[in-house]
Protein backbone atom coordinates (compact mmCIF):
# COMPACT_ATOMS: atom_id res chain seq x y z
CA UNK A 1 0.00 0.00 0.00
CA UNK A 2 1.57 3.26 -1.17
CA UNK A 3 1.58 6.45 0.93
CA UNK A 4 1.21 10.06 -0.10
CA UNK A 5 4.13 10.86 2.16
CA UNK A 6 7.50 10.21 0.42
CA UNK A 7 9.61 7.52 2.14
CA UNK A 8 12.81 9.33 1.12
CA UNK A 9 11.84 12.13 3.55
CA UNK A 10 11.66 9.56 6.32
CA UNK A 11 15.19 8.33 5.49
CA UNK A 12 16.50 11.94 5.47
CA UNK A 13 15.03 12.56 8.91
CA UNK A 14 16.42 9.28 10.27
CA UNK A 15 19.90 10.12 9.05
CA UNK A 16 19.55 13.58 10.61
CA UNK A 17 18.84 12.04 14.03
CA UNK A 18 21.66 9.47 13.76
CA UNK A 19 19.91 6.39 12.32
CA UNK A 20 21.64 5.49 9.03
CA UNK A 21 20.72 2.69 6.59
CA UNK A 22 16.98 2.62 7.38
CA UNK A 23 15.32 -0.20 5.47
CA UNK A 24 12.72 0.53 2.81
CA UNK A 25 9.94 -1.40 4.60
CA UNK A 26 10.44 0.53 7.83
CA UNK A 27 10.54 3.87 5.96
CA UNK A 28 7.36 2.94 4.09
CA UNK A 29 5.48 2.02 7.29
CA UNK A 30 6.67 5.16 9.04
CA UNK A 31 5.51 7.28 6.07
CA UNK A 32 2.03 5.72 6.30
CA UNK A 33 1.91 6.42 10.05
CA UNK A 34 3.00 10.04 9.51
CA UNK A 35 0.25 10.44 6.91
CA UNK A 36 -2.34 9.12 9.40
CA UNK A 37 -1.14 11.45 12.15
CA UNK A 38 -1.27 14.47 9.84
CA UNK A 39 -4.84 13.57 8.81
CA UNK A 40 -5.79 13.29 12.48
CA UNK A 41 -4.31 16.70 13.32
CA UNK A 42 -6.02 18.32 10.33
CA UNK A 43 -9.40 16.85 11.26
CA UNK A 44 -9.17 18.27 14.77
CA UNK A 45 -7.96 21.63 13.43
CA UNK A 46 -10.91 21.79 11.01
CA UNK A 47 -13.26 21.29 13.94
CA UNK A 48 -11.82 24.35 15.66
CA UNK A 49 -12.09 26.31 12.43
CA UNK A 50 -15.78 25.40 12.01
CA UNK A 51 -16.60 26.18 15.62
CA UNK A 52 -14.92 29.54 15.15
CA UNK A 53 -17.17 30.15 12.11
CA UNK A 54 -14.20 30.71 9.83
CA UNK A 55 -13.30 29.44 6.41
CA UNK A 56 -9.51 29.82 6.66
CA UNK A 57 -7.44 27.42 8.73
CA UNK A 58 -4.99 29.25 11.00
CA UNK A 59 -1.94 28.19 12.95
CA UNK A 60 -3.89 28.60 16.20
CA UNK A 61 -6.27 25.86 15.02
CA UNK A 62 -3.29 23.54 14.51
CA UNK A 63 -1.94 24.40 17.97
CA UNK A 64 -5.33 23.68 19.58
CA UNK A 65 -5.56 20.38 17.72
CA UNK A 66 -2.10 19.33 18.91
CA UNK A 67 -3.02 20.24 22.48
CA UNK A 68 -6.21 18.14 22.26
CA UNK A 69 -4.22 15.17 20.92
CA UNK A 70 -1.77 15.54 23.83
CA UNK A 71 1.08 16.56 21.52
CA UNK A 72 3.42 19.43 22.27
CA UNK A 73 2.25 22.40 20.16
CA UNK A 74 4.42 24.30 17.75
CA UNK A 75 5.99 27.55 18.89
CA UNK A 76 6.60 30.77 16.96
CA UNK A 77 3.67 30.58 14.52
CA UNK A 78 0.79 32.01 16.58
CA UNK A 79 -0.77 34.63 14.32
CA UNK A 80 -4.29 35.70 13.48
CA UNK A 81 -3.44 36.46 9.86
CA UNK A 82 -3.26 33.65 7.30
CA UNK A 83 0.31 32.70 6.43
CA UNK A 84 1.20 33.27 2.80
CA UNK A 85 3.72 30.90 1.25
CA UNK A 86 5.91 31.62 -1.73
CA UNK A 87 7.11 28.89 -4.11
CA UNK A 88 10.67 28.45 -5.36
CA UNK A 89 11.95 25.75 -7.68
CA UNK A 90 15.11 23.81 -6.85
CA UNK A 91 14.93 21.83 -10.06
CA UNK A 92 12.49 19.91 -12.24
CA UNK A 93 9.74 18.57 -9.98
CA UNK A 94 11.35 19.86 -6.76
CA UNK A 95 9.35 22.91 -5.56
CA UNK A 96 10.18 24.55 -2.23
CA UNK A 97 7.73 26.68 -0.24
CA UNK A 98 8.72 29.51 2.06
CA UNK A 99 6.98 32.23 4.08
CA UNK A 100 7.11 35.61 2.45
CA UNK A 101 8.48 38.28 4.78
CA UNK A 102 6.94 41.74 4.76
CA UNK A 103 9.29 44.48 3.65
CA UNK A 104 9.51 47.33 6.16
CA UNK A 105 10.97 50.76 5.45
CA UNK A 106 13.66 51.25 8.07
CA UNK A 107 13.35 55.05 8.02
CA UNK A 108 9.60 54.91 8.70
CA UNK A 109 10.18 52.39 11.44
CA UNK A 110 12.74 54.62 13.18
CA UNK A 111 10.66 57.82 12.87
CA UNK A 112 7.37 56.20 13.93
CA UNK A 113 6.02 57.39 17.33
CA UNK A 114 6.44 55.06 20.25
CA UNK A 115 3.34 53.12 21.28
CA UNK A 116 1.57 54.12 24.49
CA UNK A 117 2.59 52.35 27.66
CA UNK A 118 0.03 49.66 28.43
CA UNK A 119 -1.82 49.78 31.73
CA UNK A 120 -0.81 47.49 34.51
CA UNK A 121 -2.94 44.43 34.97
CA UNK A 122 -5.35 44.91 37.87
CA UNK A 123 -8.42 43.25 39.29
CA UNK A 124 -11.58 44.89 40.58
CA UNK A 125 -14.90 43.65 41.94
CA UNK A 126 -18.35 44.69 40.79
CA UNK A 127 -21.94 43.61 41.31
CA UNK A 128 -23.39 41.25 38.73
CA UNK A 129 -26.89 41.61 40.17
CA UNK A 130 -28.54 43.15 43.22
CA UNK A 131 -31.89 41.74 44.30
CA UNK A 132 -32.26 40.12 40.90
CA UNK A 133 -31.58 43.35 38.96
CA UNK A 134 -28.40 43.89 36.98
CA UNK A 135 -26.92 47.35 37.74
CA UNK A 136 -26.14 49.61 34.80
CA UNK A 137 -22.35 49.86 35.15
CA UNK A 138 -19.67 49.70 32.43
CA UNK A 139 -18.62 46.17 33.49
CA UNK A 140 -22.09 44.74 32.75
CA UNK A 141 -23.68 44.60 29.29
CA UNK A 142 -26.18 47.36 28.70
CA UNK A 143 -29.88 46.50 28.17
CA UNK A 144 -29.70 47.39 24.47
CA UNK A 145 -27.05 44.72 23.82
CA UNK A 146 -29.02 42.14 25.80
CA UNK A 147 -32.18 42.85 23.82
CA UNK A 148 -30.32 42.70 20.49
CA UNK A 149 -28.76 39.34 21.39
CA UNK A 150 -32.16 37.94 22.38
CA UNK A 151 -33.70 39.20 19.16
CA UNK A 152 -30.94 37.70 16.99
CA UNK A 153 -31.26 34.31 18.65
CA UNK A 154 -35.05 34.13 18.49
CA UNK A 155 -35.63 35.30 14.93
CA UNK A 156 -34.09 35.20 11.49
CA UNK A 157 -31.90 37.89 10.02
CA UNK A 158 -34.72 39.41 7.98
CA UNK A 159 -37.05 39.62 10.95
CA UNK A 160 -34.33 41.17 13.07
CA UNK A 161 -33.58 43.78 10.42
CA UNK A 162 -37.27 44.59 10.14
CA UNK A 163 -37.60 44.97 13.89
CA UNK A 164 -34.54 47.21 14.11
CA UNK A 165 -35.77 49.31 11.22
CA UNK A 166 -39.10 50.03 12.92
CA UNK A 167 -37.83 51.40 16.24
CA UNK A 168 -40.07 54.48 16.24
CA UNK A 169 -43.27 52.54 16.97
CA UNK A 170 -41.60 49.99 19.25
CA UNK A 171 -42.63 49.93 22.91
CA UNK A 172 -40.18 48.83 25.60
CA UNK A 173 -41.84 46.81 28.31
CA UNK A 174 -40.67 47.30 31.91
CA UNK A 175 -37.84 45.16 33.22
CA UNK A 176 -40.16 43.61 35.80
CA UNK A 177 -41.42 41.22 33.11
CA UNK A 178 -38.08 39.42 33.10
CA UNK A 179 -37.76 39.25 36.90
CA UNK A 180 -41.19 38.59 38.40
CA UNK A 181 -43.60 35.85 37.57
CA UNK A 182 -46.97 36.73 36.08
CA UNK A 183 -48.65 35.85 39.37
CA UNK A 184 -46.50 38.34 41.33
CA UNK A 185 -47.04 41.01 38.69
CA UNK A 186 -50.80 40.52 38.92
CA UNK A 187 -50.65 40.58 42.73
CA UNK A 188 -48.64 43.82 42.69
CA UNK A 189 -51.12 45.52 40.37
CA UNK A 190 -54.16 44.34 42.37
CA UNK A 191 -52.74 45.39 45.75
CA UNK A 192 -51.66 48.82 44.52
CA UNK A 193 -55.08 49.41 42.97
CA UNK A 194 -56.92 48.18 46.08
CA UNK A 195 -55.16 50.41 48.61
CA UNK A 196 -55.98 53.50 46.52
CA UNK A 197 -59.66 52.63 46.09
CA UNK A 198 -61.57 55.17 48.19
CA UNK A 199 -64.98 53.54 47.69
CA UNK A 200 -64.21 49.94 48.67
CA UNK A 201 -63.12 49.76 52.29
CA UNK A 202 -63.38 45.97 52.52
CA UNK A 203 -61.03 45.56 49.55
CA UNK A 204 -58.50 47.90 51.19
CA UNK A 205 -58.70 45.96 54.44
CA UNK A 206 -58.09 42.70 52.57
CA UNK A 207 -55.07 44.22 50.78
CA UNK A 208 -53.51 45.46 54.03
CA UNK A 209 -54.17 42.12 55.71
CA UNK A 210 -52.41 40.37 52.83
CA UNK A 211 -49.41 42.70 53.18
CA UNK A 212 -49.18 41.97 56.92
CA UNK A 213 -49.41 38.19 56.77
CA UNK A 214 -48.69 36.74 53.31
CA UNK A 215 -45.27 35.07 52.83
CA UNK A 216 -43.38 35.06 49.53
CA UNK A 217 -43.55 38.81 48.93
CA UNK A 218 -39.83 39.49 49.25
CA UNK A 219 -39.35 39.84 45.49
CA UNK A 220 -41.98 42.58 45.46
CA UNK A 221 -40.48 44.51 48.37
CA UNK A 222 -38.32 46.93 46.30
CA UNK A 223 -41.29 47.62 44.03
CA UNK A 224 -43.51 48.29 47.06
CA UNK A 225 -40.98 50.79 48.40
CA UNK A 226 -40.69 52.51 45.03
CA UNK A 227 -44.50 52.62 44.72
CA UNK A 228 -44.86 54.30 48.11
CA UNK A 229 -42.11 56.84 47.35
CA UNK A 230 -43.69 57.82 44.05
CA UNK A 231 -47.18 58.19 45.49
CA UNK A 232 -45.96 60.30 48.42
CA UNK A 233 -43.84 62.50 46.16
CA UNK A 234 -46.63 63.17 43.65
CA UNK A 235 -49.60 63.10 46.05
CA UNK A 236 -48.76 65.64 48.75
CA UNK A 237 -52.13 67.36 48.26
CA UNK A 238 -54.14 64.16 48.71
CA UNK A 239 -54.46 63.16 52.34
CA UNK A 240 -56.17 59.89 51.48
CA UNK A 241 -53.25 58.77 49.30
CA UNK A 242 -50.71 59.80 51.93
CA UNK A 243 -52.61 57.97 54.66
CA UNK A 244 -52.90 54.81 52.61
CA UNK A 245 -49.18 54.88 51.87
CA UNK A 246 -48.41 55.09 55.58
CA UNK A 247 -50.75 52.14 56.23
CA UNK A 248 -48.97 50.38 53.35
CA UNK A 249 -45.58 50.84 55.04
CA UNK A 250 -47.06 49.76 58.37
CA UNK A 251 -48.32 46.57 56.72
CA UNK A 252 -44.98 45.52 55.24
CA UNK A 253 -43.22 46.38 58.53
CA UNK A 254 -45.54 44.04 60.40
CA UNK A 255 -44.94 41.17 57.97
CA UNK A 256 -42.55 38.83 59.78
CA UNK A 257 -41.66 37.03 56.54
CA UNK A 258 -40.02 40.08 54.93
CA UNK A 259 -36.40 41.17 55.40
CA UNK A 260 -36.90 44.93 55.67
CA UNK A 261 -33.51 46.07 56.92
CA UNK A 262 -31.87 46.73 53.49
CA UNK A 263 -34.79 49.01 52.56
CA UNK A 264 -35.00 51.09 55.76
CA UNK A 265 -33.07 53.97 54.17
CA UNK A 266 -35.64 54.05 51.35
CA UNK A 267 -38.68 53.74 53.64
CA UNK A 268 -37.73 56.59 56.01
CA UNK A 269 -37.90 59.56 53.51
CA UNK A 270 -41.63 59.20 52.63
CA UNK A 271 -42.47 58.70 56.31
CA UNK A 272 -40.53 61.85 57.28
CA UNK A 273 -42.31 63.73 54.51
CA UNK A 274 -45.69 62.84 56.04
CA UNK A 275 -44.39 63.70 59.53
CA UNK A 276 -42.75 67.12 59.10
CA UNK A 277 -43.87 68.16 55.61
CA UNK A 278 -44.81 71.84 55.20
CA UNK A 279 -48.06 71.50 53.31
CA UNK A 280 -49.94 68.21 53.45
CA UNK A 281 -53.39 67.80 51.94
CA UNK A 282 -55.78 70.28 50.37
CA UNK A 283 -55.10 73.88 51.55
CA UNK A 284 -58.87 74.42 51.83
CA UNK A 285 -59.28 71.44 54.18
CA UNK A 286 -56.98 72.08 57.13
CA UNK A 287 -56.65 69.90 60.22
CA UNK A 288 -56.81 66.52 58.55
CA UNK A 289 -53.03 66.26 58.40
CA UNK A 290 -52.77 65.90 62.20
CA UNK A 291 -53.91 62.27 62.09
CA UNK A 292 -51.46 61.62 59.24
CA UNK A 293 -48.58 63.05 61.29
CA UNK A 294 -49.61 60.94 64.29
CA UNK A 295 -49.57 57.80 62.16
CA UNK A 296 -46.18 58.74 60.68
CA UNK A 297 -44.76 59.25 64.18
CA UNK A 298 -45.97 55.77 65.16
CA UNK A 299 -44.21 54.30 62.12
CA UNK A 300 -41.00 56.18 62.98
CA UNK A 301 -41.20 54.78 66.51
CA UNK A 302 -41.65 51.25 65.14
CA UNK A 303 -38.69 51.64 62.77
CA UNK A 304 -36.44 52.92 65.57
CA UNK A 305 -37.39 50.06 67.88
CA UNK A 306 -36.75 47.41 65.25
CA UNK A 307 -33.72 48.77 63.42
CA UNK A 308 -32.18 51.32 65.78
CA UNK A 309 -29.66 48.87 67.20
CA UNK A 310 -28.56 47.31 63.91
CA UNK A 311 -28.41 50.64 62.02
CA UNK A 312 -26.33 52.86 64.29
CA UNK A 313 -26.83 56.06 62.30
CA UNK A 314 -30.61 55.75 62.00
CA UNK A 315 -31.66 57.41 65.26
CA UNK A 316 -29.10 60.27 65.10
CA UNK A 317 -30.16 61.16 61.56
CA UNK A 318 -33.86 61.09 62.38
CA UNK A 319 -33.30 63.10 65.56
CA UNK A 320 -31.22 65.69 63.73
CA UNK A 321 -33.89 66.09 61.04
CA UNK A 322 -36.77 66.51 63.50
CA UNK A 323 -34.80 68.85 65.76
CA UNK A 324 -33.88 71.05 62.81
CA UNK A 325 -37.56 71.31 61.85
CA UNK A 326 -38.53 72.05 65.47
CA UNK A 327 -36.01 74.91 65.82
CA UNK A 328 -36.81 76.52 62.47
CA UNK A 329 -39.21 79.44 63.16
CA UNK A 330 -40.10 79.75 59.46
CA UNK A 331 -41.79 76.35 59.44
CA UNK A 332 -45.61 76.18 59.79
CA UNK A 333 -47.22 74.92 63.02
CA UNK A 334 -47.98 71.57 61.40
CA UNK A 335 -44.29 70.92 60.86
CA UNK A 336 -43.51 71.89 64.47
CA UNK A 337 -46.24 69.53 65.66
CA UNK A 338 -44.75 66.67 63.65
CA UNK A 339 -41.24 67.48 64.89
CA UNK A 340 -42.34 67.40 68.55
CA UNK A 341 -44.14 64.06 68.36
CA UNK A 342 -41.36 62.74 66.10
CA UNK A 343 -38.65 63.52 68.66
CA UNK A 344 -40.73 61.84 71.35
CA UNK A 345 -41.26 58.81 69.10
CA UNK A 346 -37.54 58.51 68.37
CA UNK A 347 -35.99 59.09 71.78
CA UNK A 348 -38.86 58.87 74.28
CA UNK A 349 -38.40 60.60 77.65
CA UNK A 350 -34.69 61.18 77.06
CA UNK A 351 -35.37 63.16 73.89
CA UNK A 352 -37.98 65.25 75.72
CA UNK A 353 -35.59 65.92 78.60
CA UNK A 354 -32.49 66.70 76.52
CA UNK A 355 -33.85 68.19 73.26
CA UNK A 356 -37.35 69.59 73.76
CA UNK A 357 -37.35 71.13 77.26
CA UNK A 358 -34.08 73.15 76.87
CA UNK A 359 -35.47 74.72 73.65
CA UNK A 360 -39.01 75.51 74.82
CA UNK A 361 -37.98 78.92 76.13
CA UNK A 362 -36.81 79.93 72.65
CA UNK A 363 -39.76 78.22 71.01
CA UNK A 364 -42.12 80.44 73.05
CA UNK A 365 -41.69 83.20 70.47
CA UNK A 366 -43.14 80.96 67.77
CA UNK A 367 -46.02 79.90 70.01
CA UNK A 368 -46.97 83.48 70.93
CA UNK A 369 -46.84 84.56 67.31
CA UNK A 370 -49.08 81.67 66.24
CA UNK A 371 -51.58 82.13 69.08
CA UNK A 372 -51.87 85.87 68.35
CA UNK A 373 -52.26 85.37 64.60
CA UNK A 374 -55.42 86.57 62.89
CA UNK A 375 -55.35 83.48 60.68
CA UNK A 376 -57.77 81.07 62.32
CA UNK A 377 -56.13 78.02 60.75
CA UNK A 378 -52.66 78.97 61.97
CA UNK A 379 -53.98 79.77 65.43
CA UNK A 380 -55.78 76.41 65.63
CA UNK A 381 -52.69 74.49 64.50
CA UNK A 382 -50.53 76.35 67.02
CA UNK A 383 -52.91 75.34 69.80
CA UNK A 384 -52.64 71.75 68.61
CA UNK A 385 -48.84 72.00 68.68
CA UNK A 386 -49.00 73.41 72.22
CA UNK A 387 -51.16 70.50 73.34
CA UNK A 388 -48.67 68.10 71.73
CA UNK A 389 -45.84 69.66 73.74
CA UNK A 390 -47.85 69.21 76.94
CA UNK A 391 -48.60 65.64 75.95
CA UNK A 392 -44.94 64.66 75.43
CA UNK A 393 -44.03 66.39 78.70
CA UNK A 394 -46.39 64.02 80.52
CA UNK A 395 -44.04 61.15 79.65
CA UNK A 396 -41.65 62.59 82.26
CA UNK A 397 -44.33 62.27 84.91
CA UNK A 398 -44.65 58.54 84.27
CA UNK A 399 -40.96 58.17 85.04
CA UNK A 400 -40.87 60.46 88.07
CA UNK A 401 -44.06 59.12 89.68
CA UNK A 402 -46.93 61.01 91.24
CA UNK A 403 -45.74 60.90 94.87
CA UNK A 404 -43.83 63.92 96.15
CA UNK A 405 -41.61 62.91 99.06
CA UNK A 406 -40.38 65.00 101.98
CA UNK A 407 -37.45 67.35 101.70
CA UNK A 408 -33.98 66.18 102.58
CA UNK A 409 -32.84 69.25 104.51
CA UNK A 410 -35.52 69.14 107.23
CA UNK A 411 -38.53 67.41 108.59
CA UNK A 412 -40.89 69.37 106.35
CA UNK A 413 -43.99 67.33 105.92
CA UNK A 414 -46.09 66.75 102.86
CA UNK A 415 -48.43 69.42 104.23
CA UNK A 416 -45.85 72.16 103.58
CA UNK A 417 -45.27 70.80 100.08
CA UNK A 418 -49.01 70.79 99.50
CA UNK A 419 -49.17 74.44 100.43
CA UNK A 420 -46.46 75.25 97.89
CA UNK A 421 -48.15 73.28 95.13
CA UNK A 422 -51.61 74.77 95.73
CA UNK A 423 -52.99 78.27 95.57
CA UNK A 424 -54.10 78.26 99.19
CA UNK A 425 -57.74 77.49 98.36
CA UNK A 426 -57.24 73.75 98.35
CA UNK A 427 -57.50 73.42 94.56
CA UNK A 428 -55.00 71.26 92.71
CA UNK A 429 -53.15 74.16 91.09
CA UNK A 430 -49.50 75.17 91.05
CA UNK A 431 -48.47 77.99 93.38
CA UNK A 432 -47.10 81.28 92.11
CA UNK A 433 -43.52 80.45 93.12
CA UNK A 434 -43.47 77.19 91.19
CA UNK A 435 -45.32 78.79 88.30
CA UNK A 436 -42.58 81.37 88.02
CA UNK A 437 -39.87 78.73 88.17
CA UNK A 438 -41.70 76.66 85.57
CA UNK A 439 -42.16 79.68 83.28
CA UNK A 440 -38.48 80.46 83.57
CA UNK A 441 -37.70 76.92 82.48
CA UNK A 442 -40.17 76.27 79.62
CA UNK A 443 -41.69 79.68 78.90
CA UNK A 444 -44.94 81.30 79.98
CA UNK A 445 -47.14 79.72 77.30
CA UNK A 446 -46.07 76.15 77.98
CA UNK A 447 -46.03 76.74 81.74
CA UNK A 448 -49.64 77.92 81.64
CA UNK A 449 -50.65 74.85 79.61
CA UNK A 450 -48.89 72.55 82.09
CA UNK A 451 -50.47 74.31 85.09
CA UNK A 452 -53.92 73.70 83.61
CA UNK A 453 -53.42 69.99 84.14
CA UNK A 454 -52.92 70.56 87.92
CA UNK A 455 -50.52 67.62 88.06
CA UNK A 456 -47.94 67.96 90.80
CA UNK A 457 -45.82 65.09 89.52
CA UNK A 458 -45.64 66.65 86.05
CA UNK A 459 -44.37 69.99 87.41
CA UNK A 460 -41.83 68.20 89.58
CA UNK A 461 -40.60 66.08 86.68
CA UNK A 462 -40.15 69.10 84.39
CA UNK A 463 -38.23 71.09 87.00
CA UNK A 464 -36.11 68.07 87.93
CA UNK A 465 -35.20 67.52 84.27
CA UNK A 466 -33.75 70.99 84.11
CA UNK A 467 -31.70 70.67 87.29
CA UNK A 468 -34.38 72.31 89.48
CA UNK A 469 -35.41 69.97 92.30
CA UNK A 470 -38.37 70.26 94.67
CA UNK A 471 -36.51 68.46 97.46
Amino acid sequence: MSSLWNSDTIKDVSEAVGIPNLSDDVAKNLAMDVEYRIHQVLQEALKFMKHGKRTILTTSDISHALRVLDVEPLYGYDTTRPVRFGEASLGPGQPMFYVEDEEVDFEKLVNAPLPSVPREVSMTAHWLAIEGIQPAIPQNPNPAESRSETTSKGSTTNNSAAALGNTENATVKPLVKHILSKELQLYFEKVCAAVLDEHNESLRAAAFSSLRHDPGLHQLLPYFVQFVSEKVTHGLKNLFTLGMMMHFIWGILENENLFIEPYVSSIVPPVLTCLIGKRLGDPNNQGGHIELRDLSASIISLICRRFGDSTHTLKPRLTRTCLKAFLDPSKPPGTHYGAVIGLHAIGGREAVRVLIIPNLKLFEVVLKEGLASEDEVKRSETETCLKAIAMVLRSLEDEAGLVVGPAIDGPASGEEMEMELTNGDGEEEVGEALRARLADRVGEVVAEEVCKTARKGLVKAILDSGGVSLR
Side-chain angles (χ1 to χ4, degrees):
M1 183 177 179
S2 60
S3 173
L4 296 177
W5 196 264
N6 193 351
S7 59
D8 294 337
T9 304
I10 303 296
K11 292 182 178 181
D12 293 338
V13 174
S14 64
E15 292 177 358
V17 296
I19 306 176
N21 302 324
L22 191 67
S23 63
D24 294 340
D25 294 337
V26 174
K28 183 177 180 182
N29 291 330
L30 287 176
M32 295 173 59
D33 186 69
V34 169
E35 182 182 354
Y36 169 75
R37 300 299 177 184
I38 292 177
H39 276 283
Q40 189 178 15
V41 172
L42 289 176
Q43 286 179 356
E44 294 295 333
L46 289 174
K47 291 179 183 179
F48 284 99
M49 181 190 72
K50 292 178 180 179
H51 282 292
K53 297 180 180 180
R54 290 179 280 101
T55 57
I56 298 177
L57 192 67
T58 62
T59 55
S60 60
D61 297 330
I62 301 295
S63 299
H64 293 322
L66 294 174
R67 188 175 289 107
V68 168
L69 296 174
D70 199 17
V71 179
E72 186 178 3
L74 301 177
Y75 301 102
Y77 292 95
D78 190 10
T79 177
T80 57
R81 296 180 301 173
V83 180
R84 299 181 179 275
F85 293 94
E87 182 179 356
S89 178
L90 297 178
Q94 293 183 355
M96 184 181 69
F97 298 92
Y98 62 94
V99 178
E100 294 182 353
D101 294 330
E102 181 181 359
E103 293 184 1
V104 179
D105 190 352
F106 186 73
E107 184 177 356
K108 292 182 178 179
L109 183 62
V110 171
N111 297 329
L114 295 176
S116 58
V117 179
R119 295 181 178 179
E120 295 183 359
V121 178
S122 61
M123 299 181 65
T124 182
H126 67 90
W127 289 101
L128 291 176
I130 302 175
E131 295 293 338
I133 300 177
Q134 190 177 63
I137 56 178
Q139 289 83 356
N140 292 334
N142 55 47
E145 293 179 357
S146 302
R147 284 197 296 270
S148 62
E149 291 179 2
T150 306
T151 305
S152 62
K153 291 180 180 179
S155 60
T156 59
T157 306
N158 295 333
N159 293 336
S160 299
L164 293 174
N166 191 18
T167 55
E168 296 181 357
N169 299 327
T171 57
V172 180
K173 294 185 178 180
L175 190 60
V176 69
K177 173 184 175 183
H178 306 288
I179 300 174
L180 301 177
S181 63
K182 292 183 178 180
E183 291 79 7
L184 284 178
Q185 294 181 50
L186 183 62
Y187 177 86
F188 177 77
E189 294 173 359
K190 294 293 184 182
V191 167
C192 294
V195 298
L196 296 177
D197 190 352
E198 299 185 34
H199 308 289
N200 197 336
E201 186 175 355
S202 60
L203 186 61
R204 292 202 307 271
F208 289 134
S209 177
S210 175
L211 288 173
R212 287 193 296 268
H213 301 103
D214 284 357
L217 301 182
H218 186 71
Q219 282 185 302
L220 289 174
L221 192 54
Y223 301 97
F224 284 154
V225 175
Q226 182 181 8
F227 170 72
V228 171
S229 300
E230 291 179 355
K231 291 301 179 182
V232 170
T233 303
H234 301 291
L236 293 177
K237 294 184 178 181
N238 192 332
L239 282 179
F240 174 79
T241 301
L242 297 177
M244 291 304 102
M245 292 302 100
M246 293 301 100
H247 283 289
F248 200 106
I249 292 179
W250 189 283
I252 61 178
L253 286 173
E254 287 189 338
N255 194 328
E256 298 178 354
N257 302 295
L258 297 179
F259 183 51
I260 308 291
E261 188 170 354
Y263 305 97
V264 171
S265 59
S266 301
I267 292 176
V268 167
V271 181
L272 281 179
T273 300
C274 295
L275 178 65
I276 58 176
K278 274 190 175 182
R279 296 286 183 264
L280 300 177
D282 189 359
N284 299 324
N285 183 16
Q286 298 293 332
H289 60 89
I290 298 298
E291 296 181 359
L292 175 64
R293 296 181 193 275
D294 291 338
L295 177 59
S296 303
S298 301
I299 296 176
I300 287 292
S301 177
L302 177 61
I303 292 175
C304 290
R305 289 197 307 270
R306 287 188 57 183
F307 309 106
D309 296 335
S310 58
T311 308
H312 302 292
T313 60
L314 177 62
K315 285 186 178 181
R317 286 187 299 168
L318 292 175
T319 303
R320 188 162 49 249
T321 303
C322 292
L323 183 61
K324 183 179 179 181
F326 176 60
L327 299 178
D328 190 351
S330 63
K331 299 291 184 181
T335 299
H336 293 146
Y337 173 86
V340 169
I341 61 176
L343 287 172
H344 181 256
I346 297 167
R349 301 188 190 102
E350 193 64 25
V352 176
R353 183 185 298 108
V354 177
L355 299 177
I356 295 181
I357 291 180
N359 295 299
L360 286 178
K361 186 71 174 176
L362 299 175
F363 190 69
E364 185 182 17
V365 179
V366 179
L367 291 176
K368 288 183 177 180
E369 180 183 353
L371 294 174
S373 175
E374 297 180 357
D375 188 354
E376 183 179 355
V377 175
K378 183 177 181 180
R379 185 168 61 254
S380 175
E381 291 183 351
T382 304
E383 293 176 355
T384 305
C385 181
L386 180 60
K387 293 178 181 178
I389 294 175
M391 179 191 67
V392 300
L393 290 176
R394 293 193 191 105
S395 63
L396 299 177
E397 180 186 14
D398 299 337
E399 182 182 21
L402 296 178
V403 179
V404 180
I408 297 176
D409 296 335
S413 62
E415 185 176 342
E416 294 179 1
M417 183 64 67
E418 182 70 20
M419 292 178 61
E420 187 179 10
L421 291 174
T422 61
N423 61 357
D425 298 332
E427 297 179 2
E428 296 294 321
E429 295 182 1
V430 180
E432 293 299 330
L434 286 181
R435 187 189 297 269
R437 294 161 66 184
L438 186 62
D440 183 64
R441 178 60 182 158
V442 298
E444 296 178 358
V445 179
V446 178
E448 182 180 356
E449 186 70 20
V450 172
C451 291
K452 289 180 182 179
T453 63
R455 294 191 177 188
K456 306 171 188 177
L458 177 57
V459 176
K460 173 182 177 300
I462 295 175
L463 293 178
D464 285 346
S465 66
V468 180
S469 178
L470 292 181
R471 297 187 177 90

